Amino acid sequence: MRKGLWLFLPMVIPLISGCELFRKEEEGIEPGTVKWEYTFPDGAPDIADVPALSNGTIYATTVGDGCWLYAINSSDGTQKWAFHMDSASWIGYPAVGEDGTVYVVADKLYAISPDGTKKWALNPPNRPGQAYRFAGAITIGEDGTVYATLYDALNPVPPEIIAVKPDGTLKWSITYGDLVTRYGFLEIGPDGTLYLFAEWGHAIYAFSTSTGDISWVYEMGNGATGLAAIDQNGVIYVPHSSELSALQSNGALLWETDLGAAPSSPVIGPDGTLYTKLMNDSLCAVNPSDGTVIWKKKGYEFGTQEIRAIVVDTNGNLYIHGAESYGAQGYTHLLYAFNRDGEISWKIHDIFCEWPPIIDSDNTIYVQTPSGITAIQGEANLSNSPWPRPYHDNRNTCRYEGS
């Protein structure tokens, strides 16, 4: 896993300098029209992880000259501030609490105020002969508790999960799994159960958020290949191996479907349909009641060589990243909009979107490109379905919040 050093000099750097801004008229613009483009001040850093949106601000993390958390106005693409972790060598995705606090893991677990000032930073456990590091996954509970995973970089010991109160004090810490269950995805279901879907390892773990006690463990054939989707009944749809499995909230298997290739993080459409992309660059719609495939389309059927990052809006439109081959000249990247039947509504060239797009309440789609953020006019806002995007919502809480 990525390793980091300790933070010594966090700085908040406001200003807009170094940003390139492009603005278009917002009145009467067609879906698929670029509204503005923002470029990170340091040019084209390594994009760290999926961005978040909260209260009119986009939060994005990058790696380059240390690690950065950027805050960008969603209305016009101007930069609000940048928080610098100069000694960190990696940084995870931002997750935003109800009060606007931005949580992110790097060499520490950071809590950043909406104005860009540090509220607190929690070090990994400091125990003799051990070297615990944050593994990257976090989720935020309904009461504001932040849950994060850790592993020991020196010793072959099982990993840990910690629960941290909003003030930065430790609520509980537990050891779970085995020596290969180091990395995984954390999510919270409608009944408040904390789940870990092991990426390295073959199990799903269910924990009590109040105590950290393990409620049940479900053994899979292989590790999870993406985040799970959870519906209003607590049914968990988890991708693993070449299969999509549905489990009840007590860990009992409902159904399991072999899709022929490894599925990524599924999302749930307005009518309950499950959508996922497969490692063989197919797009797939699945019936949530029994796991039957409603339709499946290969990328070549609509001219793309690559599919990534599905998000669904209130009209049931799907937004994904694709790439078209240009032979010796390489690829051109696109953002596609599909209707619920898998037909293309529109596409935009020269838009690279490795992470799931964000869909705002004004129908604007934000995508994180290799060098910044691009705002695009969409057709509808984010679906109010139980799980419309990976990480669940625009704040990346990874928690079911109702629909």
Side-chain angles (χ1 to χ4, degrees), residues 2 28 57 188 199 217 323 328 352 359 376:
R2 299 166 288 190
T57 302
I188 297 176
E199 187 178 12
V217 178
F352 180 86
I359 307 178
I376 300 164

Side-chain angles (χ1 to χ4, degrees), residues 140-143 147 171 187-197 205-211 213 215-216 230-236 247-252 386-387 392 398-403:
I140 304 175
E142 187 176 8
D143 62 354
Y147 303 89
K171 182 178 178 181
E187 300 178 32
I188 297 176
D191 63 354
T193 299
L194 174 68
Y195 298 104
L196 183 132
F197 304 92
Y205 297 84
F207 304 90
S208 163
T209 50
S210 59
T211 63
D213 293 337
S215 303
W216 52 262
I230 306 175
D231 72 12
Q232 68 276 12
N233 298 315
V235 176
I236 307 158
L247 282 74
Q248 293 180 320
S249 57
N250 62 3
W387 209 275
H392 180 267
C398 294
R399 182 182 84 249
Y400 176 89
E401 295 179 302
S403 57

Side-chain angles (χ1 to χ4, degrees), residues 236-247:
I236 307 158
Y237 304 97
V238 57
H240 62 101
S241 185
S242 62
E243 299 168 334
L244 185 64
S245 297
L247 282 74

Side-chain angles (χ1 to χ4, degrees), residues 4-12 65-67 83-89 106-108 110 118 121 123:
L5 302 174
W6 304 118
L7 172 68
F8 293 105
L9 297 173
M11 297 184 296
V12 175
D65 185 26
C67 295
F83 185 86
H84 191 201
M85 290 155 271
D86 58 348
S87 61
S89 60
D107 53 327
K108 304 177 183 182
Y110 293 91
K118 184 179 74 172
N123 287 314

